[in-house]
Amino acid sequence: MATKLEYIWLDGYKPTQSLRSKTKIVKEFSGKVEDLDNWSFDGSSTEQAPGGSSDCILKPVFVVPDPQRKSAYLVMCEVLSADGKPHESNGRATIADDDNDFWFGFEQEYFLWDPSTSKPLGFPAAGYPAPQGPYYCSVGAKNAFGREIVEEHLDACLEAGLNVEGINAEVAAGQWEFQIFAKGAKEAGDQIWVARYLLERIGEKYGVAINWHCKPLGQLDWNGSGMHANFSNTTLRTANSKAIFEAICESFRPAVAECIAVYGADNDQRLTGKHETASIHDFSYGVSDRGASIRIPLYAVDHNWSGYLEDRRPNSAADPYKVAAVIIKTVKTAKL
Ligand code: ADP
Ligand code: MN
Ligand code: MN
Ligand code: MN
Ligand code: MN
């Protein structure tokens, strides 16, 4: 049966890459990524190649059923240059150590955004809605805006087989979150990017854009958007030791610049020390501390210092491939 394959990739825009995709029809498809052919696209239209030699290559790396089209799949791809080497925009290919003993739970926050007013859903045409307070995990038309989009996205992710673990309305009006859990840096990144793709596409139906910027309302009293990275490896999961938790937290101290470099654009606007963040200039960790760079969840303390950590610094627009990769690299430098 004719099958629609949506080849998805990340463009070459800096500092934040966007999703691009196009459809390929094939006669037959097994559903297995290894049976998919490479394809090509015009890199001169995506900031990935000069017009004179514009072909870039799409290499399929992750495939799930497309829950919104008949007889269709979503195909996450890496971008290669014409010579077959990873393109410089290909963050997935830079994952040096895709250690599947590392588990990630990303909390992806975002704003549902009205493109005609350039404001979040729930914001009046003039001025602002009531101050933050009632919106987080709210119910009711006074405080929760855009739930039909969020629900449709949740169903689509589940039908695609993505490991969504939950959703919630966030602190700002029109702001929401979904959580996805996966093992290994590549798998975690693939799942987040495909979930972002589905959200963007569902938004189209409603004329609602997704704003991934980490501080879309500027320095007003509105929360920014993060992508908290919860992570663990066997050492953390079976630590039974406060000292091990502290040593792993300490491993991030000399890596602050390296981490911040991939934790998303404009993070200085978000990591101000206010709105449940730590200052971008500081490094701190603490039990249950939502004002720290890294939070030690109470869960870990309650489980005799075993479990996971939450790096609260990655922002909503960060590339999860790069975030996961730097976490694996950094944890492996811990002096245990
Ligand atoms: P928060 O209280 O920060 O809002 P959430 O419930 O939104 O926390 O997200 C916490 C995430 O932590 C979960 O979605 C889950 O995927 C992740 N998580 C739980 N246990 C582990 C673990 N052992 N390793 C990695 N991630 C984990
Ligand atoms: Mn053409
Ligand atoms: Mn959360
Ligand atoms: Mn949140
Ligand atoms: Mn969190």
Side-chain angles (χ1 to χ4, degrees):
M1 186 177 25
T3 301
K4 304 178 197 105
L5 304 175
E6 194 70 8
Y7 276 53
I8 302 168
W9 73 98
L10 302 177
D11 68 19
Y13 277 70
K14 289 174 185 165
T16 302
Q17 296 173 269
S18 289
L19 288 157
R20 306 284 180 129
S21 74
K22 58 176 187 162
T23 308
K24 179 185 172 83
I25 306 296
V26 294
K27 285 212 179 72
E28 222 66 68
F29 174 49
S30 67
K32 295 189 196 134
V33 73
E34 57 267 27
D35 292 332
L36 290 168
D37 290 332
N38 287 359
W39 201 15
S40 60
F41 68 98
D42 167 16
S44 72
S45 298
T46 59
E47 304 271 304
Q48 283 164 308
S53 70
S54 63
D55 273 3
C56 290
I57 297 165
L58 294 172
K59 178 189 162 198
V61 291
F62 177 75
V63 63
V64 294
D66 185 337
Q68 301 198 294
R69 289 167 113 184
K70 275 186 223 166
S71 175
Y73 292 83
L74 300 168
V75 181
M76 192 68 208
C77 297
E78 284 190 19
V79 174
L80 311 180
S81 302
D83 63 6
K85 297 205 176 94
H87 189 270
E88 61 141 2
S89 64
N90 182 347
R92 192 179 188 277
T94 67
I95 298 171
D97 179 8
D98 190 15
D99 184 345
N100 280 37
D101 183 49
F102 276 75
W103 300 354
F104 294 95
F106 284 116
E107 300 170 56
Q108 174 73 64
E109 295 177 340
Y110 60 92
F111 278 87
L112 294 177
W113 202 258
D114 183 340
S116 64
T117 59
S118 280
K119 291 176 176 203
L121 295 196
F123 274 51
Y128 294 90
Q132 287 189 165
Y135 307 111
Y136 172 74
C137 295
S138 61
V139 63
K142 189 163 182 278
N143 293 321
F145 308 102
R147 189 185 300 278
E148 68 277 33
I149 299 172
V150 173
E151 289 293 336
E152 192 170 328
H153 178 247
L154 176 60
D155 279 335
C157 287
L158 291 171
E159 273 175 59
L162 302 179
N163 277 315
V164 194
E165 295 222 312
I167 55 170
N168 59 273
E170 265 303 335
V171 173
Q175 190 187 31
W176 295 82
E177 169 179 312
F178 62 84
Q179 302 104 32
I180 288 194
F181 175 87
K183 298 179 179 178
K186 288 183 178 174
E187 173 83 19
D190 292 337
Q191 293 221 13
I192 287 284
W193 277 115
V194 171
R196 287 177 177 178
Y197 180 87
L198 283 168
L199 186 56
E200 291 271 13
R201 201 173 63 181
I202 290 164
E204 289 175 17
K205 267 173 61 179
Y206 297 87
V208 171
I210 313 304
N211 194 325
W212 305 104
H213 192 271
C214 69
K215 204 71 186 175
L217 296 164
Q219 295 307 314
L220 298 165
D221 206 9
W222 294 98
N223 274 27
S225 295
M227 186 178 64
H228 297 165
N230 299 276
F231 63 92
S232 64
N233 61 358
T234 297
T235 305
L236 280 165
R237 289 190 292 272
T238 61
N240 289 317
S241 159
K242 183 181 180 191
I244 287 177
F245 267 72
E246 289 179 348
I248 289 175
C249 288
E250 281 298 336
S251 72
F252 283 83
R253 191 183 295 279
V256 165
E258 195 186 356
C259 289
I260 293 295
V262 296
Y263 280 0
D266 299 329
N267 225 357
D268 55 318
Q269 296 173 24
R270 166 178 166 264
L271 297 179
T272 58
K274 290 193 284 191
H275 301 116
E276 301 175 46
T277 70
S279 163
I280 198 166
H281 304 294
D282 298 337
F283 176 78
S284 59
Y285 53 89
V287 174
S288 273
D289 188 353
R290 286 171 196 270
S293 313
I294 295 180
R295 175 171 68 102
I296 302 171
L298 202 55
Y299 172 95
V301 182
D302 284 349
H303 290 75
N304 193 30
W305 289 93
S306 300
Y308 63 100
L309 288 168
E310 178 192 46
D311 192 333
R312 301 177 58 78
R313 296 169 297 168
N315 78 32
S316 46
D319 180 347
Y321 294 129
K322 294 179 186 168
V323 173
V326 81
I327 288 173
I328 293 173
K329 183 179 171 199
T330 304
V331 170
K332 291 195 177 185
T333 66
K335 297 188 180 69
L336 300 173

